[in-house]
Amino acid sequence: MAQRILQFGTSRFLQAHVDLFVHQARQSGQDIGPITIVKTTVGEARGGRLGALNKATGFPVILRGFDNGHLIDETIIVKSVTEALDAHGQWRRLVELFVDETELVVSNVGDNGYEVSPQDELQLPTHDTVPSSYPAKLLALLLRRFENGAAPLLILPCELVSNNGRVLRKLLTNLSESWNLSPAFRHWFFESVMICNTLVDRIVSESIDPVGAIAEPYGLWAIRREPGLIPPFQHPSVIYTDDLEPFSRLKLHILNLGHTFLAEIWKAEKRPDAETVRDILQDPKVKNRIISLYQEEVIPGFSAHGMTEQATAYVATTLERFENPFLNHRIGDIALGHDRKIERRIADFVSWVSTKEPTLKLARLRALAGM
């Protein structure tokens, strides 16, 4: 029996990431999917996308950019999605699918998606009441699943939240206490509902109207193994690991750090407002500065933690991604929240390295972080 996936979120990111990976796994003969997509928000926004997702013809994902030195411009028609629902208009159908058919839940519900509304915290909703926030919707569905046989479930959140699985489980646990759910439910939730921390990494630059996405060739979905996890499918871009920290550090302190370093140059030199990452790297002086920073400070910092090979490879991949000729990644957008990003991406890196190798100078990074 195929493993139906319930996907909360209609984003272009999920279309070019989870939906694409599952499509490719199905094409290779693996018994995974199909996917039902769920729109969680109220209103007409993305109604056209929902209608298009319900068509059996699939939707395009265009991969454009460099991959190991080769320029890629490829269109894939993704056919892993067979149904799309509006949670607020089709709640009964959603409950039916969640209780009877779903084996795997994935989600990407945006920056505020884990917020629980005060109304949802107050009391357990009736069977026909649709909670407003995503965590309350998910808990209400889990309760219905428990009441109708208590089948085990795997949840793989894809939100850009550190320890997203742990955070989501804590939210659901606290909400179950607010709703005064039974000890039996809480035991089942703890023992039979597996929620893994995951990390996602792919730049999805544009939507295609009414559905579809344009993305870079690089993609990563790292999933932390929990005891008893049976990987739902295999894919070259999906990694099951006992430790997410190396993947998180590479992304945060190479890709994201590089973005912030370029944003600092852009701000200090008052460069053009519309300048992109690709544009700024056409300046040989800027390109030499970031390559020098990676080689002389960033890679040695990772070497202190025994990650020389991984960091060297990821730097090479990152520079390819930065120079993607199809990607218009404005530095002005990267510069938003600049001070907070310096602390998280640069100051934290310096502190992390210093725990292993305090003698490393890391002069430019320390200066940028004000350390």
Side-chain angles (χ1 to χ4, degrees):
M1 178 180 175
Q3 299 185 59
R4 179 172 291 278
I5 300 170
L6 204 60
Q7 173 182 304
F8 291 93
T10 65
S11 68
R12 71 190 188 209
F13 173 80
L14 287 173
Q15 293 168 40
H17 198 262
V18 175
D19 299 344
L20 173 61
F21 294 163
V22 171
H23 166 80
Q24 291 171 323
R26 287 164 65 87
Q27 291 293 104
S28 73
Q30 296 181 59
D31 190 19
I32 180 67
I35 297 172
T36 294
I37 289 181
V38 181
K39 175 179 173 287
T40 61
T41 53
V42 178
E44 295 300 319
R46 298 191 174 177
R49 180 176 294 179
L50 214 63
L53 284 166
N54 272 307
K55 294 182 178 177
T57 53
F59 57 85
V61 170
I62 303 174
L63 302 181
R64 287 175 171 168
F66 289 109
D67 183 16
N68 291 321
H70 301 287
L71 191 61
I72 304 296
D73 188 355
E74 176 186 15
T75 299
I76 301 168
I77 303 301
V78 173
K79 296 184 177 181
S80 54
V81 177
T82 58
E83 186 176 10
L85 303 175
D86 183 331
H88 289 268
Q90 298 169 284
W91 181 250
R92 289 187 179 182
R93 171 60 179 158
L94 177 54
V95 170
E96 176 187 312
L97 276 178
F98 194 91
V99 168
D100 297 332
E101 297 184 34
T102 300
E103 302 287 337
L104 168 63
V105 169
V106 297
S107 65
N108 186 285
V109 290
D111 294 340
N112 301 319
Y114 281 2
E115 293 181 1
V116 180
S117 69
Q119 180 183 354
D120 286 337
E121 287 183 347
L122 290 175
Q123 61 183 358
L124 171 68
T126 66
H127 274 195
D128 291 328
T129 301
V130 184
S132 61
S133 54
Y134 167 63
K137 286 184 178 72
L138 182 56
L139 185 59
L141 290 166
L142 286 166
L143 181 58
R144 295 292 291 274
R145 189 179 180 98
F146 170 73
E147 293 169 344
N148 287 273
L153 186 68
L154 173 62
I155 302 176
L156 300 177
C158 297
E159 289 78 17
L160 296 177
V161 174
S162 181
N163 294 313
N164 48 20
R166 188 185 307 167
V167 170
L168 181 59
R169 181 176 286 280
K170 181 65 174 175
L171 282 170
L172 295 171
T173 299
N174 291 344
L175 194 55
S176 70
E177 293 172 357
S178 297
W179 290 358
N180 197 29
L181 298 182
S182 70
F185 170 81
R186 296 186 206 180
H187 177 77
W188 170 76
F189 175 60
F190 181 78
E191 293 290 339
S192 298
V193 178
M194 184 180 294
I195 308 178
C196 298
N197 290 332
T198 80
L199 180 141
V200 296
D201 188 1
R202 169 166 264 167
I203 297 171
V204 183
S205 57
E206 298 177 51
S207 295
I208 297 174
D209 188 40
V211 64
I214 300 173
E216 64 175 342
Y218 179 87
L220 171 70
W221 191 9
I223 299 168
R224 187 182 182 279
R225 290 192 192 94
E226 293 290 332
L229 172 67
I230 299 174
F233 70 101
Q234 301 294 331
H235 187 280
S237 296
V238 180
I239 296 174
Y240 302 94
T241 177
D242 293 324
D243 186 6
L244 280 182
E245 185 177 4
F247 300 96
S248 177
R249 293 286 182 183
L250 290 168
K251 180 183 178 183
L252 186 63
H253 300 316
I254 295 179
L255 178 76
N256 298 148
L257 180 149
H259 277 150
T260 296
F261 181 70
L262 294 176
E264 178 68 17
I265 295 172
W266 177 81
K267 287 168 64 73
E269 297 182 358
K270 297 180 171 57
R271 299 177 71 96
D273 288 347
E275 192 166 45
T276 66
V277 172
R278 182 183 64 253
D279 293 337
I280 198 172
L281 288 177
Q282 300 308 302
D283 182 334
K285 292 182 180 179
V286 173
K287 186 171 183 178
N288 288 337
R289 285 174 69 181
I290 193 168
I291 290 174
S292 172
L293 182 79
Y294 280 144
Q295 292 177 342
E296 296 173 12
E297 297 194 18
V298 174
I299 292 176
F302 276 95
S303 296
H305 284 268
M307 295 178 62
T308 306
E309 185 176 343
Q310 299 98 309
T312 301
Y314 196 80
V315 163
T317 298
T318 296
L319 290 170
E320 274 196 336
R321 296 169 74 184
F322 283 173
E323 296 194 89
N324 187 333
F326 300 103
L327 184 61
N328 296 316
H329 198 172
R330 292 180 67 254
I331 300 180
D333 294 335
I334 294 169
L336 296 173
H338 188 60
D339 291 343
R340 178 174 52 82
K341 290 176 179 177
I342 285 177
E343 180 178 353
R344 183 78 179 94
R345 300 171 176 186
I346 297 175
D348 283 4
F349 176 72
V350 173
S351 299
W352 179 63
V353 171
S354 297
T355 62
K356 284 286 188 179
E357 190 55 72
T359 60
L360 274 179
K361 293 182 179 180
L362 306 180
R364 282 165 289 184
L365 291 175
R366 288 183 183 274
L368 184 54
M371 301 174 72

